[in-house]
Amino acid sequence: MSGMVVGSEMGRRGTPSPPPPPPQELLERLKDYGQEDAFAFWDELHPDERDILVKDIESMDLPRLDRIIRCSLGSQGQSLPAIEPVPETSVSTVEMRSAEEKERWWKRGLKVISEGKLAVVLLSGGQGTRLGSSDPKGCFNIGLPSGKSLFQLQAEKILCVQKLAAQANDVGITPIQWYIMTSPFTDDATRKFFESHKYFGLEADQVKFFQQGTLPCVSTDGRFIMETPYKVAKAPDGNGGLYSALKSTKLLEDMSSRGVKYVDCYGVDNALVRVADPTFLGYFIDKGVAAAAKVVRKAYPQEKVGVFVQQGRGGPLRVVEYSEMDASMATETNQTTGRLRYCWSNVCLHMFTLDFLNQVAINLERDSIVGLQHGHGWVDAKLSVIEETDVCKGSHSTKEKVYSMSYHLAEKKIPSIHGSTVGFKLEHFIFDAFAYAPSMALFEILREEEFAPVKNANGASYDTPDSAKLMLLRLHSRWVVAAGGFLTHSVPLYLTGVEISPLCSYAGENLEAICRGRTFHAPCEITY
């Protein structure tokens, strides 16, 4: 008995003392929401592991998570609301634009940029897993002659448009603030990549990184999936996590303090993206809307892209995912034009007013959107009526209901204590907020000029680094010829081309002095 230590987990006869129970108040809270299984392995955990688990659970907003899970599971299988094709008159189509309009929009956009009223937000939370890389997608080199990454191409476009705005308005260069949304899986690597490349010529203080949030992965009956006995499995909350993340990091306040009025927002995996596009900005301001999106026409009926629709006749615009469209809807054609009726593809190129971003963030912070029952309203299929609880009792009038924005359920195999478990990741998409924008406009772009997605590894049938590289090389080759230059090539020209540095030209302008009368051998990079 002389070897016994008072207070140890060994009893007087050498048998282990039972471990302390989990915090009772926390356990009761978990029971309230049917999540008490998170403590199922409590007795088997090391004291340090118990501390990790308790801190993990304490960090969760359990009432909010419960609403999210219930509303999202409850909206499963709901049929689409009545929808209509977006009227052609609601879209600024390429064929209907005049040269005078484009020139006016370009100049107006450059003026606003020179005044520091535009910020840019980059959605960069994803890893290049499908590209065969664990690095952030923006680090990826698609094989251009320059060897530049997607991040570098986009940074140099910002540098170029800053210079164009200063020259057009005879002022000094005003830095465009670049806000880059990462995820817990890409944040550190993204920051280090920018630091090691000296921010690609940008000022370090004009580039700001922030992380999107995460949400627990849940089973088909809504229970938390445990990644380990002391850790809840979590996943990023989708690119729609942007709204809440901008507010929680006080970056919306930062934008406001800098005089920002408009925000350009885009996804990282587009090799032809026109970052801070002056023409799109000028059009957006001209229309006086809260939100706008660039769109391309669907290439073919079965193309796996979401499309914009109108919710009811005269209702708000929203996005329907390709998986929600049946075959008849996907192939329906306009008898007059012969074109697909549901044709305007969402390509994650958006413009917002700062006021609208603030309003969305406030609504999501309350986790509710108040909408009138009468009128066509702006509540889409992804918004579910919260059950009659304290959330929606009290001050709301009988003509109002409180809605919670349902998350999209992505069925995945989730790593768990039981091996690979089928469950759901909960995601918001950035377009979920469009349905309650007070006003919105669509702006058609040409796929071959502005949309070269990089999603799949080379060898896949579409959206590969090679396909994006060829689109860029062909576009820039056309710019060279239009500017009076000539090309020679050792392989068929449709397999190669030239690359023009974004530092030379943003969208094909100002190339005559560089290209006229000169011959370039493809493939090559043209700088100065």
Side-chain angles (χ1 to χ4, degrees), residues 102-103 106-107 110 156-165 167-168 273-279 449-450 475-476 478-484 500-516 526-528:
K102 289 188 285 187
E103 180 72 11
W106 173 264
K107 289 181 177 178
L110 290 177
E156 290 183 352
K157 287 181 182 177
I158 291 175
L159 285 166
C160 184
V161 80
Q162 286 177 174
K163 183 178 177 182
L164 289 171
Q167 291 172 341
V273 60
R274 292 187 181 176
V275 186
D277 182 0
T279 302
E449 292 183 355
E450 296 191 48
L475 174 64
H476 290 194
R478 293 195 296 271
W479 290 356
V480 168
V481 172
I500 297 172
S501 168
L503 298 174
C504 293
S505 182
Y506 179 81
E509 77 292 331
N510 300 331
L511 288 174
E512 289 78 5
I514 299 172
C515 297
R516 185 167 299 280
I526 299 172
T527 53
Y528 289 100

Side-chain angles (χ1 to χ4, degrees), residues 388-423:
E388 189 68 21
T389 67
D390 290 341
V391 177
C392 52
K393 288 178 179 176
S395 62
H396 296 297
S397 110
T398 56
K399 290 190 177 182
E400 294 179 342
K401 287 185 179 180
V402 177
Y403 294 82
S404 177
M405 183 184 278
S406 298
Y407 282 65
H408 300 258
L409 296 170
E411 187 173 301
K412 301 284 184 179
K413 291 183 177 179
I414 313 293
S416 78
I417 52 176
H418 303 297
S420 186
T421 301
V422 175

Side-chain angles (χ1 to χ4, degrees), residues 231-274:
K231 183 180 179 184
V232 177
K234 295 178 184 176
D237 57 1
N239 62 24
L242 166 76
Y243 304 110
S244 298
L246 282 174
K247 182 170 179 60
S248 65
T249 55
K250 299 190 181 302
L251 289 177
L252 291 175
E253 293 177 24
D254 182 75
M255 292 179 189
S256 181
S257 70
R258 296 174 185 275
V260 169
K261 301 292 184 186
Y262 313 104
V263 180
D264 179 34
C265 181
Y266 70 98
V268 70
D269 54 359
N270 179 0
L272 289 180
V273 60
R274 292 187 181 176

Side-chain angles (χ1 to χ4, degrees), residues 60-72:
M60 297 181 187
D61 184 344
L62 291 174
R64 176 175 177 268
L65 286 174
D66 182 64
R67 290 197 301 273
I68 288 172
I69 293 167
R70 285 190 297 111
C71 291
S72 299

Side-chain angles (χ1 to χ4, degrees), residues 98-108 279:
S98 67
E100 292 76 15
E101 280 181 318
K102 289 188 285 187
E103 180 72 11
R104 185 178 77 250
W105 293 335
W106 173 264
K107 289 181 177 178
R108 186 167 190 179
T279 302

Side-chain angles (χ1 to χ4, degrees), residues 145-157:
S146 66
K148 292 174 181 176
S149 64
L150 293 171
F151 280 143
Q152 183 168 355
L153 293 173
Q154 293 160 20
E156 290 183 352
K157 287 181 182 177

